């Protein structure tokens, strides 16, 4: 099968959906003339023109709100945040406007909008550029939150997100844009809310999503050398969460580790742990373990970053812990 | 809260007169005497009287606890909605703040759907899910009452963006209070709307108080229309106690929008007779100040003109008033008699997706 970059997969999804539906447009900082801060939208200005690929001033609050208003009035905006770290000045528009208009209007208005861009850390960028906000958005009814980990998933899920009639938060990673993966020619859709087993195994289940999937898979290779077989569930979507996929795996392995890049309090891992103890308590042979970012702002120094983020060492330790090894 | 007002009523009065003179100079010279005829004046009177009576009833029902939550009344500001509606088409759009009972009435919605919403009934214009601050009507192109000060201003620009994108000739009226202009969302929206020439009219309903804080206490810039000049936007002050002045200003702004010339900022100077919300006794202002504005009451103004020009007899005026009172009564009865939403409505209208898997424990 053909192999392309993560950014190319995203671009294919954007191009295909914009060709198919004139109500779809792309708006954000540097998306047009600069061809995208991370080159996701390269060439799109040339194909679609300045009416549909729109550079904005640095005003996330304003253009996020313009997107919501346009969505309420019949368009299907794709609003790019250069990173979700910059989305906090616009989070009012996401939480108070996009997520609420359908409910507050008794179902009269909907908001078919995609807010997309990279989330979480991406090297030594300092505390303000290194935060994972998946759980913040996932907390809010009215939103859907998609966090793909491969080029294949990214394309299929972005197409589904653009076609969705509800507001979707679509979270990527600067560190994945150059990742290569198999993506078939032609159109396909991956439904929102369906997890994917990224690795089959029998001893322990690891649930994770987004960029951290790759750290987990690397840890699994190390664990395999020690004879430990891990099943990796990539949630792909953290609102809604495919709980059934988790329960099914845990009923087989009887042990669960949850790994994510967010901070521990009120995280996705906390939610999954609650659901598993409630629905699969009798199947558990050990307490659920988790690996998150350390409960501190991410520092700059590389050795401190290595300690703060989920890494192979911490993941293998957690897996061995639930195996009492 | 200062014990004595920062400005005496006399100051306000002089401020008002100064403003009127400034407006006369700024606005295009227009012969308003003949522009609006009998039909318009009678419509204005009926609409403004309806808004006034509806809001008075809502206030009374709030005290009786039939209406709960926050409740912000439009009494004193009626000429703004009435003036706008005289020059709009049904295809034009409106979006506003939480002081939002009057705008959908102006758009043509029967007040019973607003009253039912205030009662939290399923027959309300937002199915009892919005309440006083969140009236909506897709049918009447009313894009809602919004509860976060200033946050809906970019939405107004976005609604206009969609109409421009689709080549529609509609304009969007985006209303806000004087408090909202101190929010970043206002400035970001104005900047992009002007840069992209969006067909939107930003209307500041300057009732002079952001809750209890007077305009003078929030910035050195107290002529709020001047904020638009920073973005090279056509920006004007308008007398909000006169329907004709509002209609003229909005008509010109709408023409600019429809011609692709972009947005306009109108600072429409008005006054709310009641507190910020039902729970506000408005102790930050004097009785004299209130009286000063009530003497320029927009409904009395229109009525005086109707009588002066003999557009209607006493009997015909009385008939309008009786019709309005009957409508308000009908609205209350409709709201009283309508059912509350059934419990299964809780999980409806949150997502467009009909089978969204809610977490149910």
């Amino acid at each position: 099968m053909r192999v392309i970059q993560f950014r190319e997969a995203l671009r294919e999804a954007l191009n295909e959906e914009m060709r198919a539906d004139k109500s779809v447009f792309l708006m954000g900082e540097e998306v047009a003339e600069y061809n995208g801060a991370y080159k996701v939208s390269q060439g799109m200005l040339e194909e679609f023109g300045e009416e549909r690929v729109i550079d904005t001033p640095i005003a996330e609050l304003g253009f996020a709100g313009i997107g919501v208003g346009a969505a309420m009035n019949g368009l299907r905006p794709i609003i790019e945040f250069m990173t979700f770290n910059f989305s906090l000045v616009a989070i009012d528009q996401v939480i108070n406007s996009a997520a609420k208009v359908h409910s507050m209007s008794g179902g009269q208005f909907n908001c078919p909008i995609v807010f997309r861009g990279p989330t979480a850390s991406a090297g030594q960028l300092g505390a303000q550029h290194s935060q994972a906000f998946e759980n913040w958005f996932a907390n809010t009814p009215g939103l859907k939150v998609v966090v793909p980990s491969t080029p294949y998933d990214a394309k299929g899920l972005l197409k589904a997100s653009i076609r969705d009639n509800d507001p979707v938060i679509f979270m990527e990673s600067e560190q994945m844009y150059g990742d290569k993966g198999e993506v078939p020619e032609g159109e396909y859709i991956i439904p929102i809310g369906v997890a994917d087993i990224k690795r089959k195994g029998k001893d322990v289940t690891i649930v994770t999503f987004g960029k951290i999937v790759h750290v987990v898979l690397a840890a699994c290779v190390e664990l395999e050398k020690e004879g430990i077989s891990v099943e990796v569930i990539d949630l792909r979507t953290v609102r809604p969460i495919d709980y059934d996929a988790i329960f099914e795996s845990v009923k087989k392995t009887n042990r669960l580790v949850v790994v994510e890049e967010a901070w521990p309090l009120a995280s996705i891992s906390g939610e999954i742990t609650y659901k598993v103890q409630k629905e699969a308590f009798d199947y558990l042979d050990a307490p659920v373990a988790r690996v998150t970012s350390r409960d501190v702002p991410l520092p700059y120094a590389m050795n401190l970053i290595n300690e703060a983020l989920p890494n192979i060492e911490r993941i293998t330790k957690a897996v061995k812990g639930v195996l009492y090894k | 809260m200062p014990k004595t007002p920062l400005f005496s009523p006399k100051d306000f009065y002089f401020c008002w007169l100064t403003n009127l003179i400034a407006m006369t100079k700024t606005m295009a010279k227009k012969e308003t005497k003949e522009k609006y005829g009998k039909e318009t004046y009678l419509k204005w009177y009926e609409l403004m009287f309806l808004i006034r009576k509806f809001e008075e009833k809502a206030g009374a029902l709030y005290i009786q606890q039939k209406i709960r939550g926050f409740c912000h009344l439009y009494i004193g500001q009626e000429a703004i909605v009435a003036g706008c509606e005289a020059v709009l088409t049904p295809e034009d759009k409106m979006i506003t703040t939480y002081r939002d009972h009057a705008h959908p009435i102006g758009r043509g919605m029967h007040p019973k759907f607003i009253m039912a919403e205030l009662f939290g009934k399923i027959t309300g214009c937002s199915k009892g899910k919005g309440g006083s601050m969140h009236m909506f009507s897709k049918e009447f192109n009313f894009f809602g009452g919004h509860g976060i000060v200033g946050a809906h201003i970019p939405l107004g620009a976005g609604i206009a963006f969609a109409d421009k994108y689709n080549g529609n000739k509609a304009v969007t009226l985006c209303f806000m209070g004087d408090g909202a202009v101190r929010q970043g969302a206002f400035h970001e929206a104005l900047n992009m709307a002007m840069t992209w020439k969006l067909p939107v009219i930003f209307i500041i309903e300057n009732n002079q108080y952001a809750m209890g804080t007077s305009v003078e206490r929030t910035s050195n810039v107290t002529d709020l229309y001047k904020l638009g000049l920073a973005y090279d936007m056509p920006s004007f002050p308008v007398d909000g106690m006169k329907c004709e002045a509002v209609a003229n200003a909005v008509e010109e702004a709408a023409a600019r929008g429809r011609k692709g010339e972009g947005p306009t900022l109108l600072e429409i100077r008005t006054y709310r007779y009641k507190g910020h919300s039902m729970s506000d006794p408005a102790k930050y202002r004097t009785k004299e100040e209130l009286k000063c504005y009530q003497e320029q009451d927009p409904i009395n103004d229109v009525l005086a003109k109707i009588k002066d020009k003999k557009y209607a007899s006493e009997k015909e005026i009385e008939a309008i008033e009786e019709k309005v009172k009957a409508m308000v009564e009908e609205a209350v009865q409709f709201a009283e008699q309508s059912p509350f939403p059934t419990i299964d409505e809780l999980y409806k209208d949150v997502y467009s997706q009909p089978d969204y898997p809610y977490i149910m424990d």
Side-chain angles (χ1 to χ4, degrees):
Chain A
M1 199 189 291
R2 171 180 79 129
V3 171
I4 61 172
Q5 286 185 340
F6 200 105
R7 62 165 62 84
E8 292 169 327
L10 292 171
R11 189 186 308 141
E12 281 192 358
L14 295 169
N15 283 334
E16 286 172 15
E17 292 308 302
M18 283 184 61
R19 282 170 201 146
D21 183 352
K22 206 209 159 227
S23 68
V24 181
F25 69 92
L26 176 66
M27 175 182 278
E29 294 155 6
E30 311 291 4
V31 298
E33 291 198 10
Y34 194 85
N35 283 303
Y38 298 103
K39 306 301 168 208
V40 171
S41 55
Q42 189 148 35
M44 290 180 66
L45 172 64
E46 200 179 342
E47 175 168 357
F48 299 105
E50 61 184 16
E51 287 79 23
R52 298 183 68 195
V53 182
I54 302 154
D55 278 329
T56 66
I58 301 173
E60 287 87 358
L61 166 60
F63 68 73
I66 286 173
V68 173
M72 287 176 75
N73 197 13
L75 299 185
R76 305 185 81 86
I78 301 160
I79 302 297
E80 179 174 312
F81 292 127
M82 199 179 287
T83 123
F84 271 93
N85 289 286
F86 305 161
S87 77
L88 295 197
V89 293
I91 200 167
D92 175 63
Q93 293 298 353
V94 178
I95 307 293
N96 271 321
S97 299
K100 299 292 190 292
V101 292
H102 194 60
S103 171
M104 291 195 306
S105 68
Q108 292 176 81
F109 289 92
N110 64 345
C111 191
I113 190 169
V114 176
F115 295 102
R116 54 157 287 272
T119 182
S121 68
Q124 292 174 269
L125 301 181
Q128 294 178 327
H129 283 63
S130 306
Q131 305 164 92
F133 291 121
E134 300 88 50
N135 55 329
W136 285 39
F137 293 104
N139 182 247
T140 302
L143 300 179
K144 296 175 181 177
V145 184
V146 177
V147 198
S149 68
T150 67
Y152 175 81
D153 289 351
K155 181 176 177 183
L157 282 164
L158 184 53
K159 286 171 72 74
S161 300
I162 295 167
R163 294 182 191 189
D164 202 282
N165 288 324
D166 294 307
V168 178
I169 310 296
F170 192 93
M171 306 178 102
E172 305 151 13
S173 165
E174 292 98 323
Q175 292 177 320
M176 287 198 294
Y177 286 132
D179 285 1
K180 289 182 174 173
E182 291 188 341
V183 175
E185 303 274 356
E187 290 204 32
Y188 64 96
I189 295 277
I190 297 174
I192 291 171
V194 181
D196 182 46
I197 299 173
K198 284 289 189 283
R199 182 188 170 101
K200 287 254 179 214
K202 59 181 176 46
D203 298 329
V204 176
T205 299
I206 295 182
V207 172
T208 184
F209 53 90
K211 181 184 77 189
I212 298 298
V213 166
H214 302 287
V215 184
V216 167
L217 289 172
C220 291
V221 173
E222 297 303 313
L223 289 161
E224 188 74 54
K225 291 175 190 165
E226 299 182 41
I228 299 169
S229 163
V230 181
E231 180 143 299
V232 178
I233 302 216
D234 177 2
L235 289 177
R236 299 199 291 198
T237 304
V238 294
R239 185 178 187 97
I241 288 174
D242 186 353
Y243 292 106
D244 289 342
I246 301 169
F247 300 150
E248 204 177 312
S249 181
V250 168
K251 285 175 182 176
K252 184 173 75 177
T253 64
N254 311 111
R255 293 163 208 277
L256 175 64
V257 176
V258 190
V259 187
E260 67 179 315
E261 193 174 333
W263 293 301
L265 187 70
S267 57
I268 300 294
S269 56
E271 162 63 19
I272 288 171
T273 305
Y274 165 76
K275 286 295 258 188
V276 168
Q277 65 82 31
K278 184 164 184 292
E279 303 294 335
F281 187 78
D282 291 340
Y283 293 91
L284 286 174
D285 287 344
V288 177
R290 71 175 173 188
V291 179
T292 66
S293 279
R294 299 292 189 196
D295 200 15
V296 295
L298 197 71
Y300 170 73
M302 199 62 219
N303 62 326
L304 295 179
I305 289 178
N306 288 339
E307 172 55 26
L309 294 180
N311 57 34
I312 292 174
E313 189 189 349
R314 289 174 63 199
I315 294 165
T316 53
K317 194 177 167 195
V319 167
K320 287 176 186 174
V322 299
L323 285 163
Y324 298 108
K325 284 188 177 175
Chain B
M1 198 73 66
K3 283 179 184 165
T4 51
L6 289 171
F7 290 81
S8 72
K10 200 177 154 195
D11 288 333
F12 268 105
Y13 193 62
F14 279 117
C15 172
W16 183 257
L17 288 180
T18 316
N19 289 344
L20 283 179
I21 294 161
M23 280 173 225
T24 323
K25 286 180 182 168
T26 311
M27 299 301 295
K29 281 183 186 173
K30 251 192 184 16
E31 189 50 63
T32 56
K33 280 182 185 171
E34 303 302 325
K35 189 168 176 189
Y36 303 103
K38 174 182 168 181
E39 198 190 339
T40 304
Y41 275 95
L42 292 178
K43 269 189 188 167
W44 276 338
Y45 185 63
E46 181 176 331
L47 174 56
M48 289 198 291
F49 193 68
L50 174 58
I51 293 168
R52 177 75 54 97
K53 290 296 148 192
F54 180 90
E55 292 290 62
E56 285 174 357
K57 181 58 89 175
L61 291 166
Y62 189 87
I63 290 163
Q64 291 174 36
Q65 300 196 337
K66 296 270 187 187
I67 298 169
R68 310 301 298 262
F70 294 132
C71 186
H72 311 83
L73 304 180
Y74 202 65
I75 295 172
Q77 305 183 201
E78 295 91 344
I80 300 177
V81 162
C84 290
E85 284 296 346
V87 294
L88 294 184
T89 72
E91 288 71 39
D92 293 326
K93 318 289 195 295
M94 269 192 194
I95 183 167
T96 190
T97 69
Y98 42 81
R99 197 176 302 286
D100 65 344
H101 306 167
H103 303 76
I105 294 177
R107 292 267 72 195
M109 188 196 286
H110 194 290
K112 69 183 184 181
F113 300 113
I114 298 157
M115 192 63 86
E117 189 60 35
L118 291 172
F119 276 58
K121 300 296 181 72
I122 188 72
T123 53
C125 62
S126 302
K127 292 165 76 174
K129 297 176 181 184
S132 170
M133 298 191 283
H134 306 305
M135 303 292 169
F136 282 87
S137 173
K138 199 164 192 176
E139 180 188 356
F140 289 103
N141 276 322
F142 181 63
F143 282 66
H146 296 260
I148 309 297
V149 172
H152 69 289
I153 303 171
L155 268 62
I159 295 162
F161 176 94
D163 278 326
K164 184 181 164 88
Y165 188 97
N166 285 326
N168 299 335
K169 283 292 170 202
V171 295
T172 298
L173 271 62
C174 179
F175 297 87
M176 68 203 79
D178 45 274
V181 306
R182 310 307 187 197
Q183 284 275 28
F186 169 82
H187 294 271
E188 294 185 21
L190 257 65
N191 181 43
M192 281 181 271
M194 194 60 205
T195 306
W196 299 335
K197 301 288 182 285
L198 302 180
V200 54
I201 308 170
F202 297 106
I203 295 179
I204 306 165
E205 299 189 65
N206 180 3
N207 63 26
Q208 308 184 32
Y209 290 93
M211 207 166 148
T213 307
S214 65
V215 169
E216 288 78 4
R217 292 171 61 208
T218 60
S219 171
N220 286 327
V221 183
T222 55
D223 284 328
L224 304 183
Y225 74 91
K226 289 179 182 167
L227 296 173
L229 302 176
Y231 303 102
D232 285 348
M233 188 182 295
S235 304
F236 308 98
V238 181
D239 181 352
M241 303 309 248
K242 300 269 186 295
C243 288
E244 302 90 336
V246 174
N248 285 339
V250 172
E251 188 178 36
E252 287 181 8
R256 269 193 293 278
R258 291 187 219 286
K259 277 188 285 187
E261 292 173 12
T264 300
L265 175 67
L266 300 177
E267 178 199 353
I268 305 190
R269 292 173 181 176
T270 183
Y271 201 77
R272 64 168 149 76
Y273 297 176
K274 302 286 179 181
H276 164 73
S277 71
M278 282 303 293
S279 58
D280 170 20
K283 286 180 177 166
Y284 40 82
R285 62 188 190 189
T286 62
K287 282 178 185 164
E288 289 76 15
E289 181 186 312
L290 174 60
K291 193 164 165 276
C292 167
Y293 286 99
Q294 284 175 324
E295 281 166 5
Q296 315 170 51
D297 185 85
I299 304 181
N300 287 344
D301 180 70
V302 162
L303 184 59
K305 285 166 186 159
I306 288 171
K307 287 180 177 175
D308 182 48
K309 291 180 188 292
K310 298 190 171 42
Y311 285 153
S313 66
E314 287 292 340
K315 212 174 167 184
E316 284 164 327
I317 292 165
E318 205 174 295
I320 291 173
E321 291 168 357
E322 288 310 313
K323 181 184 165 192
V324 163
K325 285 174 189 167
M327 271 178 99
V328 173
E329 214 33 61
E330 184 193 350
V332 177
Q333 278 196 12
F334 177 76
E336 290 270 17
Q337 288 164 7
S338 293
F340 286 107
T342 50
I343 295 301
D344 66 321
E345 283 291 329
L346 192 58
Y347 286 105
K348 289 182 184 166
D349 306 323
V350 180
Y351 289 93
S352 301
Q353 180 186 340
D355 58 347
Y356 180 84
Y358 295 95
I359 297 176
M360 302 294 274
D361 66 342

